[in-house]
Amino acid sequence: MPFSPQNRTGTLSGILFVAIFAAAATFIAGLGPVKALGLSPLVIGIVMGIFYANTLHNQTPKEWQSGITFSAKKILRFAIVIYGFRITFQQIAAVGMDGFLVSLVMLTSTLILGSWLGYKIFGMEKDTSILTASGASVCGAAAVLATEPVLKAEEYKTAIAVSMVVLFGTISMFLYPVLYEAFIKDAVGFLHMDPRTFGIYVGGTIHEVAQVVAVPASVPGSPTEMANAAVIVKMTRVIMIAPMLIVLGLYLAWSAKKEGGSRDEKMKLVIPWFAVYFIMVAGFNSLHLLPQNLVDIINEVDTFLLTMAMTALGMGTIFSKFKGLGLAPIYTATGMFLWLLIGGFVVTKVIVGV
């Protein structure tokens, strides 16, 4: 369908609509009582978005939906690229090999566990199981959409997987800060994690990039190293989507051949370029060529763009979508969620060694 002036106007109106919500979330986050609670505009934005999605969603023009989708996808990617201005290669080196190993172990184990649970234990179709597992193991909805061309799956299977990512990723985003404050921050012994280690844990186990960004921002007084470790480790998982899709394509070809079928079609590899650009921006920032006051302004703009993305994500969380899916996707996603939450904690502690 051509991008007519009417479509363009609807898209721009949708983006402006999300921006107004994000501005309101930013204002609310700056109020004294709310600020004292440590609630970031990202968290407030997604709550406002979810409220809208389940109350006033049908009262706004359908043409605006393209702008809301643009905010949840394109603006999110751009905001993550700009997030590189908060990070330098010196900080990446500080996260080190342990952060990479946490990413690798959690991605691989979650993908295998989720596919096995869905297909073998709860009786879901193989494609739906793999799509749901890819979303939990790599980078949420973006990973589901990137995996779809490899599987050549029907749209409803993708919708189921994305729904599970949104549901459990949102639960994680609210749960992790509570767990940190209540059980991890001041704990003694195995339960304790310092801010950097908790950041690695967050980055290695939470679904969406924006949700990873939101967790440290929701911890009152959290140091910068927590947020940086979380995002760097998460971006490591995102970058791993390319080799994951190659391995998955090879597995599917081998499986089809073993079963007597054929997959002669060329595999379409979707590379998350925004992750590559993020690294390039971080590299540029490592050279310290821009004055700090300009970098601070860029970071403030970036926070607003991330708030827009989270608000738009909330606007897509319509509870009625989860009805009629059956319990198999819920059971599978719950199994992966528990593994990411509990198994990820143990894996992080063992690898980081603190």
Side-chain angles (χ1 to χ4, degrees):
M1 182 176 181
F3 196 53
S4 66
Q6 183 178 0
N7 293 335
R8 184 164 55 246
T9 300
T11 300
L12 292 175
S13 298
I15 294 172
L16 179 60
F17 183 62
V18 174
I20 292 172
F21 266 71
T26 302
F27 174 77
I28 293 172
L31 297 176
V34 179
K35 195 172 184 179
L37 293 174
L39 294 177
S40 74
L42 280 72
V43 174
I44 295 172
I46 195 171
V47 170
M48 291 176 64
I50 291 173
F51 177 79
Y52 156 81
N54 294 279
T55 54
L56 305 174
H57 176 73
N58 294 325
Q59 305 300 318
T60 52
K62 293 183 179 179
E63 293 79 10
W64 292 10
Q65 185 57 47
S66 59
I68 296 173
T69 302
F70 182 90
S71 300
K73 294 183 178 180
K74 302 296 184 181
I75 289 181
L76 170 60
R77 305 292 186 273
F78 181 69
I80 293 301
V81 170
I82 298 178
Y83 197 93
F85 278 106
R86 305 173 192 247
I87 295 171
T88 65
F89 281 171
Q90 293 88 338
Q91 293 168 328
I92 293 175
V95 171
M97 183 58 68
D98 49 5
F100 171 78
L101 289 176
V102 170
S103 296
L104 181 61
V105 170
M106 293 312 300
L107 186 155
T108 305
S109 60
T110 305
L111 182 64
I112 293 173
L113 174 66
S115 301
W116 176 75
L117 281 176
Y119 185 55
K120 294 292 187 180
I121 303 300
F122 299 122
M124 285 200 303
E125 294 174 300
K126 182 180 290 186
D127 286 356
T128 309
S129 301
I130 295 175
L131 284 169
T132 305
S134 69
S137 63
V138 188
C139 55
V144 175
L145 298 176
T147 307
E148 180 186 13
V150 179
L151 296 172
K152 299 178 177 60
E154 294 89 345
E155 288 185 1
Y156 81 91
K157 297 178 182 177
T158 302
I160 292 173
V162 170
S163 297
M164 293 303 99
V165 163
V166 171
L167 176 61
F168 285 92
T170 301
I171 291 173
S172 299
M173 187 184 69
F174 287 108
L175 179 62
Y176 276 56
V178 173
L179 292 178
Y180 181 76
E181 288 293 318
F183 301 106
I184 298 175
K185 181 180 178 180
D186 298 320
V188 177
F190 187 76
L191 286 181
H192 175 73
M193 281 184 170
D194 59 37
R196 173 184 174 273
T197 304
F198 183 73
I200 292 175
Y201 169 51
V202 168
T205 58
I206 290 184
H207 300 61
E208 293 276 357
V209 177
Q211 293 161 351
V212 168
V213 174
V215 169
S218 302
V219 175
S222 63
T224 304
E225 62 177 337
M226 179 188 292
N228 290 349
V231 172
I232 293 168
V233 171
K234 181 60 180 178
M235 295 312 292
T236 304
R237 283 171 69 196
V238 172
I239 292 170
M240 287 180 184
I241 194 172
M244 183 208 78
L245 292 177
I246 294 173
V247 172
L248 177 60
L250 293 173
Y251 164 75
L252 292 173
W254 172 82
S255 179
K257 184 177 180 180
K258 183 179 178 182
E259 294 171 5
S262 73
R263 277 184 180 260
D264 296 329
E265 302 88 357
K266 290 185 178 180
M267 178 180 60
K268 183 179 179 182
L269 179 60
V270 181
I271 299 175
W273 288 108
F274 71 96
V276 178
Y277 299 146
F278 161 83
I279 294 174
M280 293 172 62
V281 171
F284 175 79
N285 191 47
S286 302
L287 302 176
H288 302 290
L289 298 178
L290 298 181
Q292 187 58 44
N293 61 338
L294 178 58
V295 173
D296 291 340
I297 293 173
I298 292 173
N299 289 338
E300 288 181 12
V301 173
D302 185 52
T303 298
F304 183 76
L305 293 177
L306 286 168
T307 303
M308 285 185 64
M310 290 302 296
T311 302
L313 185 64
M315 288 178 173
T317 309
I318 301 174
F319 294 143
S320 62
K321 287 183 178 179
F322 302 114
K323 296 178 181 178
L325 295 180
L327 295 178
I330 294 286
Y331 291 153
T332 302
T334 299
M336 288 187 292
F337 170 73
L338 292 175
W339 165 245
L340 289 166
L341 181 68
I342 301 172
F345 185 92
V346 175
V347 167
T348 303
K349 290 289 292 186
V350 169
I351 291 178
V352 177
V354 294

PDB file of all heavy atoms in Angstrom, residues 136-162:
ATOM      1  N   ALA A 136      12.291 -14.956  24.398  1.00  0.00           N
ATOM      2  CA  ALA A 136      12.760 -14.935  25.779  1.00  0.00           C
ATOM      3  C   ALA A 136      14.279 -14.985  25.873  1.00  0.00           C
ATOM      4  O   ALA A 136      14.871 -14.407  26.783  1.00  0.00           O
ATOM      5  CB  ALA A 136      12.156 -16.105  26.554  1.00  0.00           C
ATOM      6  N   SER A 137      14.921 -15.667  24.939  1.00  0.00           N
ATOM      7  CA  SER A 137      16.357 -15.906  25.056  1.00  0.00           C
ATOM      8  C   SER A 137      17.210 -14.785  24.497  1.00  0.00           C
ATOM      9  O   SER A 137      18.343 -14.592  24.937  1.00  0.00           O
ATOM     10  CB  SER A 137      16.732 -17.219  24.368  1.00  0.00           C
ATOM     11  OG  SER A 137      16.452 -17.152  22.982  1.00  0.00           O
ATOM     12  N   VAL A 138      16.694 -14.033  23.520  1.00  0.00           N
ATOM     13  CA  VAL A 138      17.545 -13.034  22.862  1.00  0.00           C
ATOM     14  C   VAL A 138      17.089 -11.613  23.204  1.00  0.00           C
ATOM     15  O   VAL A 138      17.647 -10.986  24.094  1.00  0.00           O
ATOM     16  CB  VAL A 138      17.567 -13.234  21.333  1.00  0.00           C
ATOM     17  CG1 VAL A 138      18.603 -12.306  20.695  1.00  0.00           C
ATOM     18  CG2 VAL A 138      17.893 -14.672  20.985  1.00  0.00           C
ATOM     19  N   CYS A 139      16.117 -11.095  22.483  1.00  0.00           N
ATOM     20  CA  CYS A 139      15.779  -9.681  22.680  1.00  0.00           C
ATOM     21  C   CYS A 139      14.305  -9.409  22.468  1.00  0.00           C
ATOM     22  O   CYS A 139      13.932  -8.425  21.807  1.00  0.00           O
ATOM     23  CB  CYS A 139      16.617  -8.788  21.770  1.00  0.00           C
ATOM     24  SG  CYS A 139      16.518  -9.193  20.011  1.00  0.00           S
ATOM     25  N   GLY A 140      13.453 -10.275  22.977  1.00  0.00           N
ATOM     26  CA  GLY A 140      12.035  -9.994  22.969  1.00  0.00           C
ATOM     27  C   GLY A 140      11.386 -10.052  21.601  1.00  0.00           C
ATOM     28  O   GLY A 140      11.712 -10.895  20.766  1.00  0.00           O
ATOM     29  N   ALA A 141      10.463  -9.117  21.374  1.00  0.00           N
ATOM     30  CA  ALA A 141       9.678  -9.119  20.146  1.00  0.00           C
ATOM     31  C   ALA A 141      10.550  -9.014  18.910  1.00  0.00           C
ATOM     32  O   ALA A 141      10.249  -9.603  17.864  1.00  0.00           O
ATOM     33  CB  ALA A 141       8.668  -7.968  20.183  1.00  0.00           C
ATOM     34  N   ALA A 142      11.644  -8.261  18.993  1.00  0.00           N
ATOM     35  CA  ALA A 142      12.542  -8.117  17.843  1.00  0.00           C
ATOM     36  C   ALA A 142      13.120  -9.463  17.430  1.00  0.00           C
ATOM     37  O   ALA A 142      13.257  -9.765  16.235  1.00  0.00           O
ATOM     38  CB  ALA A 142      13.666  -7.137  18.173  1.00  0.00           C
ATOM     39  N   ALA A 143      13.454 -10.307  18.401  1.00  0.00           N
ATOM     40  CA  ALA A 143      13.992 -11.629  18.092  1.00  0.00           C
ATOM     41  C   ALA A 143      12.922 -12.524  17.478  1.00  0.00           C
ATOM     42  O   ALA A 143      13.211 -13.318  16.577  1.00  0.00           O
ATOM     43  CB  ALA A 143      14.551 -12.277  19.360  1.00  0.00           C
ATOM     44  N   VAL A 144      11.693 -12.401  17.955  1.00  0.00           N
ATOM     45  CA  VAL A 144      10.589 -13.177  17.381  1.00  0.00           C
ATOM     46  C   VAL A 144      10.418 -12.820  15.913  1.00  0.00           C
ATOM     47  O   VAL A 144      10.318 -13.695  15.043  1.00  0.00           O
ATOM     48  CB  VAL A 144       9.277 -12.918  18.149  1.00  0.00           C
ATOM     49  CG1 VAL A 144       8.117 -13.642  17.473  1.00  0.00           C
ATOM     50  CG2 VAL A 144       9.401 -13.384  19.600  1.00  0.00           C
ATOM     51  N   LEU A 145      10.402 -11.524  15.632  1.00  0.00           N
ATOM     52  CA  LEU A 145      10.214 -11.067  14.260  1.00  0.00           C
ATOM     53  C   LEU A 145      11.396 -11.445  13.376  1.00  0.00           C
ATOM     54  O   LEU A 145      11.240 -11.691  12.181  1.00  0.00           O
ATOM     55  CB  LEU A 145      10.001  -9.549  14.240  1.00  0.00           C
ATOM     56  CG  LEU A 145       8.756  -9.056  14.985  1.00  0.00           C
ATOM     57  CD1 LEU A 145       8.699  -7.538  14.988  1.00  0.00           C
ATOM     58  CD2 LEU A 145       7.495  -9.633  14.358  1.00  0.00           C
ATOM     59  N   ALA A 146      12.594 -11.477  13.948  1.00  0.00           N
ATOM     60  CA  ALA A 146      13.777 -11.861  13.178  1.00  0.00           C
ATOM     61  C   ALA A 146      13.804 -13.362  12.905  1.00  0.00           C
ATOM     62  O   ALA A 146      14.332 -13.799  11.874  1.00  0.00           O
ATOM     63  CB  ALA A 146      15.046 -11.448  13.935  1.00  0.00           C
ATOM     64  N   THR A 147      13.233 -14.139  13.808  1.00  0.00           N
ATOM     65  CA  THR A 147      13.229 -15.596  13.658  1.00  0.00           C
ATOM     66  C   THR A 147      12.137 -16.062  12.707  1.00  0.00           C
ATOM     67  O   THR A 147      12.269 -17.101  12.063  1.00  0.00           O
ATOM     68  CB  THR A 147      13.039 -16.268  15.041  1.00  0.00           C
ATOM     69  OG1 THR A 147      14.014 -15.757  15.952  1.00  0.00           O
ATOM     70  CG2 THR A 147      13.183 -17.776  14.957  1.00  0.00           C
ATOM     71  N   GLU A 148      11.070 -15.304  12.589  1.00  0.00           N
ATOM     72  CA  GLU A 148       9.929 -15.692  11.758  1.00  0.00           C
ATOM     73  C   GLU A 148      10.311 -16.042  10.314  1.00  0.00           C
ATOM     74  O   GLU A 148       9.862 -17.070   9.787  1.00  0.00           O
ATOM     75  CB  GLU A 148       8.874 -14.588  11.770  1.00  0.00           C
ATOM     76  CG  GLU A 148       7.636 -14.909  10.929  1.00  0.00           C
ATOM     77  CD  GLU A 148       6.675 -13.742  10.844  1.00  0.00           C
ATOM     78  OE1 GLU A 148       7.078 -12.614  11.224  1.00  0.00           O
ATOM     79  OE2 GLU A 148       5.534 -13.948  10.408  1.00  0.00           O
ATOM     80  N   PRO A 149      11.147 -15.226   9.622  1.00  0.00           N
ATOM     81  CA  PRO A 149      11.492 -15.575   8.236  1.00  0.00           C
ATOM     82  C   PRO A 149      12.256 -16.890   8.110  1.00  0.00           C
ATOM     83  O   PRO A 149      12.141 -17.588   7.096  1.00  0.00           O
ATOM     84  CB  PRO A 149      12.364 -14.397   7.783  1.00  0.00           C
ATOM     85  CG  PRO A 149      12.054 -13.284   8.718  1.00  0.00           C
ATOM     86  CD  PRO A 149      11.727 -13.941  10.017  1.00  0.00           C
ATOM     87  N   VAL A 150      13.041 -17.210   9.132  1.00  0.00           N
ATOM     88  CA  VAL A 150      13.798 -18.466   9.100  1.00  0.00           C
ATOM     89  C   VAL A 150      12.846 -19.654   9.192  1.00  0.00           C
ATOM     90  O   VAL A 150      13.003 -20.657   8.500  1.00  0.00           O
ATOM     91  CB  VAL A 150      14.832 -18.505  10.253  1.00  0.00           C
ATOM     92  CG1 VAL A 150      15.598 -19.818  10.248  1.00  0.00           C
ATOM     93  CG2 VAL A 150      15.800 -17.332  10.123  1.00  0.00           C
ATOM     94  N   LEU A 151      11.831 -19.531  10.043  1.00  0.00           N
ATOM     95  CA  LEU A 151      10.870 -20.614  10.232  1.00  0.00           C
ATOM     96  C   LEU A 151       9.762 -20.606   9.183  1.00  0.00           C
ATOM     97  O   LEU A 151       9.090 -21.613   8.982  1.00  0.00           O
ATOM     98  CB  LEU A 151      10.224 -20.501  11.623  1.00  0.00           C
ATOM     99  CG  LEU A 151      11.150 -20.666  12.827  1.00  0.00           C
ATOM    100  CD1 LEU A 151      10.398 -20.327  14.108  1.00  0.00           C
ATOM    101  CD2 LEU A 151      11.702 -22.085  12.898  1.00  0.00           C
ATOM    102  N   LYS A 152       9.562 -19.434   8.535  1.00  0.00           N
ATOM    103  CA  LYS A 152       8.438 -19.260   7.602  1.00  0.00           C
ATOM    104  C   LYS A 152       7.116 -19.566   8.311  1.00  0.00           C
ATOM    105  O   LYS A 152       6.251 -20.277   7.802  1.00  0.00           O
ATOM    106  CB  LYS A 152       8.617 -20.132   6.359  1.00  0.00           C
ATOM    107  CG  LYS A 152       9.872 -19.795   5.572  1.00  0.00           C
ATOM    108  CD  LYS A 152      10.033 -20.701   4.373  1.00  0.00           C
ATOM    109  CE  LYS A 152      11.254 -20.303   3.550  1.00  0.00           C
ATOM    110  NZ  LYS A 152      12.510 -20.374   4.306  1.00  0.00           N
ATOM    111  N   ALA A 153       6.990 -19.016   9.534  1.00  0.00           N
ATOM    112  CA  ALA A 153       5.842 -19.318  10.385  1.00  0.00           C
ATOM    113  C   ALA A 153       4.654 -18.410  10.051  1.00  0.00           C
ATOM    114  O   ALA A 153       4.819 -17.303   9.540  1.00  0.00           O
ATOM    115  CB  ALA A 153       6.221 -19.138  11.858  1.00  0.00           C
ATOM    116  N   GLU A 154       3.451 -18.900  10.359  1.00  0.00           N
ATOM    117  CA  GLU A 154       2.250 -18.104  10.166  1.00  0.00           C
ATOM    118  C   GLU A 154       2.210 -16.952  11.178  1.00  0.00           C
ATOM    119  O   GLU A 154       2.800 -17.025  12.249  1.00  0.00           O
ATOM    120  CB  GLU A 154       0.993 -18.964  10.327  1.00  0.00           C
ATOM    121  CG  GLU A 154       0.826 -20.023   9.255  1.00  0.00           C
ATOM    122  CD  GLU A 154       1.500 -21.348   9.590  1.00  0.00           C
ATOM    123  OE1 GLU A 154       2.337 -21.347  10.522  1.00  0.00           O
ATOM    124  OE2 GLU A 154       1.182 -22.351   8.953  1.00  0.00           O
ATOM    125  N   GLU A 155       1.453 -15.900  10.824  1.00  0.00           N
ATOM    126  CA  GLU A 155       1.420 -14.693  11.636  1.00  0.00           C
ATOM    127  C   GLU A 155       0.871 -14.938  13.038  1.00  0.00           C
ATOM    128  O   GLU A 155       1.342 -14.346  14.006  1.00  0.00           O
ATOM    129  CB  GLU A 155       0.585 -13.609  10.937  1.00  0.00           C
ATOM    130  CG  GLU A 155       1.265 -13.006   9.719  1.00  0.00           C
ATOM    131  CD  GLU A 155       0.472 -11.855   9.138  1.00  0.00           C
ATOM    132  OE1 GLU A 155      -0.593 -11.537   9.713  1.00  0.00           O
ATOM    133  OE2 GLU A 155       0.911 -11.288   8.129  1.00  0.00           O
ATOM    134  N   TYR A 156      -0.123 -15.825  13.162  1.00  0.00           N
ATOM    135  CA  TYR A 156      -0.727 -16.017  14.484  1.00  0.00           C
ATOM    136  C   TYR A 156       0.277 -16.618  15.467  1.00  0.00           C
ATOM    137  O   TYR A 156       0.217 -16.347  16.671  1.00  0.00           O
ATOM    138  CB  TYR A 156      -1.986 -16.881  14.387  1.00  0.00           C
ATOM    139  CG  TYR A 156      -1.758 -18.372  14.308  1.00  0.00           C
ATOM    140  CD1 TYR A 156      -1.710 -19.148  15.461  1.00  0.00           C
ATOM    141  CD2 TYR A 156      -1.577 -19.002  13.076  1.00  0.00           C
ATOM    142  CE1 TYR A 156      -1.502 -20.512  15.404  1.00  0.00           C
ATOM    143  CE2 TYR A 156      -1.363 -20.367  13.013  1.00  0.00           C
ATOM    144  CZ  TYR A 156      -1.328 -21.125  14.163  1.00  0.00           C
ATOM    145  OH  TYR A 156      -1.115 -22.478  14.100  1.00  0.00           O
ATOM    146  N   LYS A 157       1.224 -17.420  14.940  1.00  0.00           N
ATOM    147  CA  LYS A 157       2.257 -17.994  15.814  1.00  0.00           C
ATOM    148  C   LYS A 157       3.176 -16.898  16.333  1.00  0.00           C
ATOM    149  O   LYS A 157       3.578 -16.907  17.498  1.00  0.00           O
ATOM    150  CB  LYS A 157       3.055 -19.046  15.056  1.00  0.00           C
ATOM    151  CG  LYS A 157       2.238 -20.238  14.590  1.00  0.00           C
ATOM    152  CD  LYS A 157       3.084 -21.216  13.794  1.00  0.00           C
ATOM    153  CE  LYS A 157       2.245 -22.386  13.274  1.00  0.00           C
ATOM    154  NZ  LYS A 157       3.040 -23.319  12.445  1.00  0.00           N
ATOM    155  N   THR A 158       3.491 -15.961  15.450  1.00  0.00           N
ATOM    156  CA  THR A 158       4.312 -14.826  15.857  1.00  0.00           C
ATOM    157  C   THR A 158       3.587 -13.990  16.902  1.00  0.00           C
ATOM    158  O   THR A 158       4.183 -13.536  17.887  1.00  0.00           O
ATOM    159  CB  THR A 158       4.650 -13.953  14.638  1.00  0.00           C
ATOM    160  OG1 THR A 158       5.318 -14.743  13.662  1.00  0.00           O
ATOM    161  CG2 THR A 158       5.537 -12.790  15.026  1.00  0.00           C
ATOM    162  N   ALA A 159       2.283 -13.799  16.709  1.00  0.00           N
ATOM    163  CA  ALA A 159       1.490 -13.011  17.656  1.00  0.00           C
ATOM    164  C   ALA A 159       1.488 -13.651  19.039  1.00  0.00           C
ATOM    165  O   ALA A 159       1.576 -12.951  20.058  1.00  0.00           O
ATOM    166  CB  ALA A 159       0.065 -12.857  17.143  1.00  0.00           C
ATOM    167  N   ILE A 160       1.370 -14.978  19.080  1.00  0.00           N
ATOM    168  CA  ILE A 160       1.398 -15.681  20.366  1.00  0.00           C
ATOM    169  C   ILE A 160       2.730 -15.453  21.067  1.00  0.00           C
ATOM    170  O   ILE A 160       2.791 -15.126  22.261  1.00  0.00           O
ATOM    171  CB  ILE A 160       1.157 -17.194  20.167  1.00  0.00           C
ATOM    172  CG1 ILE A 160      -0.287 -17.439  19.710  1.00  0.00           C
ATOM    173  CG2 ILE A 160       1.448 -17.962  21.464  1.00  0.00           C
ATOM    174  CD1 ILE A 160      -0.568 -18.872  19.333  1.00  0.00           C
ATOM    175  N   ALA A 161       3.834 -15.612  20.310  1.00  0.00           N
ATOM    176  CA  ALA A 161       5.169 -15.454  20.895  1.00  0.00           C
ATOM    177  C   ALA A 161       5.394 -14.037  21.397  1.00  0.00           C
ATOM    178  O   ALA A 161       5.918 -13.824  22.505  1.00  0.00           O
ATOM    179  CB  ALA A 161       6.234 -15.830  19.857  1.00  0.00           C
ATOM    180  N   VAL A 162       4.988 -13.049  20.611  1.00  0.00           N
ATOM    181  CA  VAL A 162       5.157 -11.658  21.024  1.00  0.00           C
ATOM    182  C   VAL A 162       4.324 -11.363  22.270  1.00  0.00           C
ATOM    183  O   VAL A 162       4.770 -10.649  23.177  1.00  0.00           O
ATOM    184  CB  VAL A 162       4.778 -10.701  19.873  1.00  0.00           C
ATOM    185  CG1 VAL A 162       4.711  -9.262  20.374  1.00  0.00           C
ATOM    186  CG2 VAL A 162       5.790 -10.811  18.735  1.00  0.00           C
TER     187      VAL A 162
END
